[in-house]
C-alpha cells in the first residue's frame, strides 16, 4: 500500500505556543486579578483552552465547558448549532471568557455567547485561535484572535478534526482532500 503524503503544516507547535503566550498576556492584562470563568467550546477548543489556561497568570479561574456541534462529520457548518452547557455553576453572576478553536460563519460563537448571557454571565468575552477569511454570517467580534488565516483551508490538529482524525496532532495542518 503506498504511504499517504504527510499533511501540510499551516501553524506549527512552536508558533502556536508563542501566540498562546502572547494571547494570555493580553487576557491577563484585561482581567487583572479578578476571578473569571474560562469556558472552553468542545470538542475542538479543548486543546487551546487547556494550553491557554496554563499560560494565564491569573489563578482565580474557574474552568467550564460547553459542547457545541454544527458540523456533523462534514467540512462545512450545517448552520444549526446544538449546545449543551456542561456546568452552569461557573456562569451566573460571573465574567466569562469563551475559548473557541476557529471562527468561520460565527454562528457557533454567537450561539455560545448568547447562551452564556442568558445563563446570567455579567460579561462575556471571547478568544478564538483561528479566524477564517470570509464566511461571516453571524454578527460576532471576538476580543482576541490568535491567527487571521490567509487561506480558506479546512484545517485539523490541535483539537480540530477531519472526520474524527488528527485532533491530537500538536500542529495545525491541512489534511488531504480525501482524508477521512
Ligand atoms: P462557525 O461557522 O459556527 O464554525 O463559526 C465554527 C465551528 O466549526 C468548526 N470548524 C472547523 N473544524 N476544521 C475543523 O476541524 C476547520 O477547518 C473548521 N472550520 C470550522 C469548529 O468546530 C468551530 O467550532
Ligand atoms: Mg469538528
Amino acid at each position: 500500500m503506498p504511504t499517504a503524503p504527510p499533511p501540510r503544516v499551516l501553524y506549527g507547535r512552536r508558533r502556536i505556543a508563542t501566540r498562546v503566550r502572547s494571547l494570555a498576556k493580553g487576557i491577563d492584562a484585561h482581567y487583572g486579578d479578578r476571578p473569571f470563568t474560562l469556558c472552553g467550546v468542545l470538542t475542538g477548543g479543548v486543546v487551546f483552552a487547556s494550553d491557554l489556561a496554563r499560560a494565564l497568570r491569573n489563578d482565580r479561574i474557574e474552568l467550564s465547558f460547553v459542547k457545541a456541534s454544527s458540523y456533523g462529520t462534514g467540512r462545512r457548518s450545517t448552520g444549526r448549532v446544538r449546545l449543551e452547557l456542561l456546568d452552569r455553576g461557573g456562569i451566573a453572576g460571573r465574567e466569562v471568557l469563551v475559548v473557541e478553536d476557529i471562527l468561520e460563519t460565527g454562528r457557533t460563537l454567537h450561539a455560545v455567547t448568547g447562551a452564556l448571557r442568558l445563563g446570567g454571565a455579567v460579561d462575556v468575552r471571547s478568544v478564538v485561535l483561528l479566524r477564517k477569511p470570509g464566511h461571516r454570517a453571524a454578527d460576532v467580534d471576538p476580543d482576541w484572535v490568535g491567527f487571521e488565516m490567509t487561506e480558506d483551508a479546512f484545517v485539523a490538529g490541535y483539537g480540530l478534526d477531519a472526520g474524527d482524525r488528527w485532533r491530537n496532532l500538536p500542529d495545525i495542518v491541512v489534511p488531504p482532500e480525501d482524508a477521512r
Side-chain angles (χ1 to χ4, degrees):
M1 212 169 77
T3 42
R8 176 165 61 94
V9 174
L10 207 54
Y11 302 97
R13 62 199 79 181
R14 293 163 67 130
R15 192 169 166 204
I16 297 171
T18 303
R19 190 67 190 116
V20 167
R21 277 196 299 274
S22 83
L23 288 170
K25 269 199 186 137
I27 292 166
D28 268 327
H30 172 75
Y31 289 102
D33 291 326
R34 295 199 304 283
F36 69 97
T37 297
L38 189 156
C39 181
V41 182
L42 299 178
T43 302
V46 68
V47 177
F48 178 40
S50 310
D51 280 352
L52 183 67
R54 287 176 295 172
L56 290 167
R57 192 188 43 79
N58 188 318
D59 59 5
R60 304 182 67 198
I61 293 167
E62 228 176 276
L63 288 183
S64 179
F65 290 94
V66 59
K67 169 85 183 155
S69 3
S70 68
Y71 256 53
T73 53
R75 288 188 173 205
R76 282 282 175 235
S77 171
T78 58
R80 284 182 310 275
V81 183
R82 278 193 299 119
L83 287 186
E84 199 184 330
L85 196 53
L86 300 181
D87 54 272
R88 280 160 201 286
I91 305 303
R94 292 180 61 93
E95 292 188 69
V96 180
L97 173 68
V98 179
V99 182
E100 164 75 308
D101 50 8
I102 185 164
L103 190 72
E104 188 172 11
T105 65
R107 286 195 188 100
T108 305
L109 191 60
H110 184 77
V112 171
T113 54
L116 293 172
R117 287 197 184 95
L118 270 178
V122 295
D123 180 77
V124 181
R125 315 229 156 214
S126 56
V127 53
V128 302
L129 182 61
L130 302 167
R131 176 154 61 186
K132 281 193 180 177
H135 297 308
R136 225 67 76 228
D139 184 17
V140 283
D141 194 13
D143 298 274
W144 295 274
V145 176
F147 298 106
E148 298 285 356
M149 288 177 67
T150 50
E151 93 182 77
D152 185 14
F154 185 87
V155 290
Y158 201 72
L160 294 153
D161 73 307
D164 284 326
R165 274 184 75 184
W166 288 303
R167 272 200 209 281
N168 58 325
L169 271 193
D171 307 307
I172 294 172
V173 303
V174 181
E177 278 296 327
D178 56 352
R180 278 281 163 261

